[in-house]
């Protein structure tokens, strides 16, 4: 592993690549710190810029943005009580009360150190686990992949608020993915005579539209609330000195990093959930649970360590199986495809150097983010005062330009608008948009593998339950669907019992 | 905002990137700000000009990619 990692580092260690990672990390923190501008949007805005670049610098820069934007979410969470990204929701519980006590440097310092440790830990786990998992995944046949896609959909649906709504969204995505020429028979489907639809919908405009447009519209609607003026003086040394506060929290940090990485590895689930799970675990394991919610340092460490640890975890299924771990890695997958690279176990055979340079870039991005947050925290705090009514239209323009430049055709702008409106409608009826995009990406994969599998088995679906790996995935899928229902029923019974008592 | 954006997408193919983007950005910023004044209008025009210029420079000059052109171009 270390030999390969050193090759990856040597590939990344050029002035040009380091500058791109640094620029990505710096910009990522800026975007992540602004409430409403998520890591997904940050990566979405940058993907079109990487179009003309080579693969390694492009992915390196996107990784810088990814790490920076997830980490930057804690700044507004701590200072304004508004999480910059959904992954920093639990950070508000303790960081904001700590800031209110006048300990803003301690809150920010603990958050940035925990972010760095969580991120770096998950980067090392990624480098350790991914090659072995990829070697194992090479044994996968078509039925294994088909069952894996089913498992992914069930995971995403389990963690959504409504399983039915999530499944409906996934089916919508799969239905949209069928537009164009079919993969095996080469028959046109749902093109209605439009030549632009023969290749299906371009992925990136669809991704940018469904994630960015509804978010911007939502943010702009909230502009009636005046942007809060933020005025804190932060000294870099005072931030760094908080390392002494981590001394008594070693076990919390280890548990946090493990929870974050573990949740990140689950397909379709990312930092948005890990920070809350890790926070509640830290609270239940703490000797002083009453301090949580009043400015406990372990609460900040648990939330920020876990959401950053999820990033490395989310890259594991993307690189080894070609299954995105969360919304941001979904965007990264779009970037891979844009550069004609198919993530999956074969990537470790055909492009081993690229894979290890990704690992190296991830670790370097974590280091850059730490340094930038230590040195430029005052600047990031100032960014919080930028009014949304100025940002919204400019970001929309960037999304439109990004969608257009990928293929230089107006049709992609219409795709962006169409998917944006779809995302907006889904938001109105409270249907999650992540399963739609997963359906769009994984739909062709499921179809291809199922049809190849059926060809091999002469039309029999039995290999799905007679071979161990697909059976395991299907049992996992069934369990993840049934477990929340049983859990909810138990909770209802408990509640009814308590009310009676 | 949403209606304005849809109108912007329609005009993009007709007026091209520069003109339609400046109009969209200025109008939407000015309509979104809570206190409407001449100073806010000037700020909106400056923001629009800067963002349009920067995006044009990055994509068209540096990355050498096309941006939507007007029908007379």
């Amino acid at each position: 592993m270390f030999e390969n990692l050193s090759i990856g580092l040597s590939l990344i260690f050029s002035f040009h690549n380091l500058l791109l990672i640094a620029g990505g990390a710096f910009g990522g923190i800026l975007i992540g710190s602004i409430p409403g501008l998520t890591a997904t949007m940050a990566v979405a805005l940058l993907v079109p810029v990487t179009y003309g670049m080579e693969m390694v610098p492009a992915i390196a820069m996107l990784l810088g943005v990814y790490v920076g934007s997830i980490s930057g979410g804690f700044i507004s969470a701590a200072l304004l009580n508004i999480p910059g990204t959904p992954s920093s929701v639990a950070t508000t519980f303790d960081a904001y009360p700590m800031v209110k006590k006048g300990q803003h440097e301690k809150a920010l310092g603990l958050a940035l150190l925990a972010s760095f440790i969580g991120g770096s830990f998950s980067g090392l786990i990624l480098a350790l686990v991914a090659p072995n998992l990829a070697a194992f995944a090479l044994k996968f046949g078509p039925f294994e992949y088909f069952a894996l896609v089913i498992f992914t959909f069930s995971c995403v649906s389990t963690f959504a608020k409504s399983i039915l709504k999530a499944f409906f969204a996934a089916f919508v995505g799969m239905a949209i993915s069928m537009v164009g020429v079919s993969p095996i028979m080469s028959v046109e489907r749902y093109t209605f005579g439009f030549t632009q639809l023969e290749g299906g919908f371009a992925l990136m405009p669809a991704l940018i539209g469904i994630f960015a447009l509804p978010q911007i519209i939502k943010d702009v609607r909230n502009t009636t609330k005046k942007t809060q003026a933020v005025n804190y003086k932060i000294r870099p040394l005072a931030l760094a000195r908080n390392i002494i506060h981590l001394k008594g929290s070693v076990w919390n940090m280890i548990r946090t990093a493990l929870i974050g990485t573990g949740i990140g590895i689950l397909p379709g689930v990312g930092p948005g959930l890990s920070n809350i799970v890790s926070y509640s675990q830290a609270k239940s394991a703490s000797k002083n649970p009453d301090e949580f919610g009043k400015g406990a340092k372990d609460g900040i460490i648990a939330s920020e360590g876990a959401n950053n640890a999820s990033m490395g975890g989310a890259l594991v299924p993307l690189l080894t199986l070609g299954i995105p771990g969360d919304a941001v890695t979904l965007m990264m997958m779009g970037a891979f495809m844009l550069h004609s690279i198919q993530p999956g176990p074969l990537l470790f055979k055909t492009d081993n150097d690229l894979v290890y340079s990704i690992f190296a870039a991830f670790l370097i991005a974590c280091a850059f983010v730490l340094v930038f947050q230590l040195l430029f925290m005052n600047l990031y705090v100032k960014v919080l005062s930028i009014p949304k009514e100025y940002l919204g239209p400019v970001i929309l323009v960037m999304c439109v330009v990004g969608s257009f430049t990928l293929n230089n055709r107006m049709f992609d702008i219409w795709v962006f608008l169409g998917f944006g409106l779809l995302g907006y409608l889904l938001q109105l009826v409270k249907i999650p948009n992540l399963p739609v995009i997963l359906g769009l990406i994984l739909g062709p994969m499921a179809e291809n593998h199922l049809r190849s599998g059926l060809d091999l088995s002469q039309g029999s679906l039995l290999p799905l339950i007679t071979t161990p790996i697909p059976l395991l995935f299907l049992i996992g899928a069934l369990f993840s669907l049934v477990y929340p229902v049983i859990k909810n029923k138990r909770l209802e019974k408990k509640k009814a019992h308590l009310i009676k008592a | 905002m949403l209606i304005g954006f849809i109108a912007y997408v329609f005009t993009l193919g007709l007026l091209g990137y520069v003109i339609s983007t400046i109009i969209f950005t200025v109008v939407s910023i000015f309509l979104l700000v809570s206190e409407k004044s001449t100073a806010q209008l000037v700020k909106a025009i400056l923001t629009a000009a800067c963002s349009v210029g920067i995006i044009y420079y990055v994509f068209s000059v540096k990355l050498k990619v096309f941006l939507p052109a007007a029908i007379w171009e």
Side-chain angles (χ1 to χ4, degrees), chain A residues 131-172:
Chain A
N132 297 314
L133 189 61
F136 176 66
L138 276 174
K139 292 172 192 158
F140 282 17
F143 280 117
E144 277 81 358
Y145 270 109
F146 178 71
L148 177 63
V149 173
I150 303 286
F151 175 66
T152 304
F153 282 132
S154 68
C155 274
V156 175
S157 309
T158 305
F159 292 108
K161 278 178 188 158
S162 157
I163 293 178
L164 271 180
K165 281 182 177 177
F167 260 106
F168 170 74
F171 279 117
V172 169

Side-chain angles (χ1 to χ4, degrees), chain A residues 24-246:
Chain A
F26 187 81
I29 305 170
L30 277 180
I31 296 176
S33 60
I34 299 170
L37 295 189
T38 58
T40 317
M41 204 184 289
V43 176
L45 289 175
L46 253 286
V47 169
V49 179
T50 65
Y51 185 48
M53 291 182 187
E54 282 179 32
M55 186 66 202
V56 173
I59 295 295
M61 186 167 82
L62 291 175
L63 281 170
V65 175
Y66 182 23
V67 177
S69 50
I70 292 284
S71 181
F74 74 76
I75 300 171
S76 63
L79 300 180
L80 298 177
N81 203 22
I82 308 167
T85 59
S87 55
S88 297
V89 170
T91 311
T92 57
F93 303 161
D94 282 293
Y96 187 65
M98 196 180 264
V99 170
K100 284 278 124 191
K101 286 179 193 167
Q103 297 172 318
H104 56 276
E105 283 170 334
K106 187 180 174 186
L108 292 171
L110 280 170
L112 76 88
L113 289 169
S115 292
F116 172 70
I117 296 169
S120 311
F121 175 84
S122 75
L124 290 172
I125 293 289
L126 169 71
L128 199 75
V129 171
N132 297 314
L133 189 61
F136 176 66
L138 276 174
K139 292 172 192 158
F140 282 17
F143 280 117
E144 277 81 358
Y145 270 109
F146 178 71
L148 177 63
V149 173
I150 303 286
F151 175 66
T152 304
F153 282 132
S154 68
C155 274
V156 175
S157 309
T158 305
F159 292 108
K161 278 178 188 158
S162 157
I163 293 178
L164 271 180
K165 281 182 177 177
F167 260 106
F168 170 74
F171 279 117
V172 169
M174 284 180 101
I176 297 171
S177 78
M178 286 183 182
V179 175
V181 177
S182 75
I184 291 179
M185 306 291 281
S186 296
V187 179
E188 275 189 29
R189 295 185 301 201
Y190 313 115
T191 57
F192 305 105
F194 288 99
T195 46
Q196 289 103 328
L197 286 177
E198 278 172 14
F201 291 106
L203 186 63
M204 281 319 293
L207 279 176
I208 300 173
I210 207 161
F211 284 114
L213 189 63
Q215 183 67 49
I216 295 167
I217 301 282
K218 191 175 150 193
D219 285 349
V220 164
R221 278 194 166 173
N222 295 335
T223 49
T224 41
K225 295 169 198 165
K226 215 175 172 191
T227 310
Q228 287 168 260
V230 188
N231 205 3
Y232 289 100
K233 188 123 185 89
I234 295 149
R235 296 159 299 163
L237 264 178
L239 289 178
R241 243 180 259 139
N242 284 296
I243 200 153
I244 50 165
H245 294 298
L246 293 179

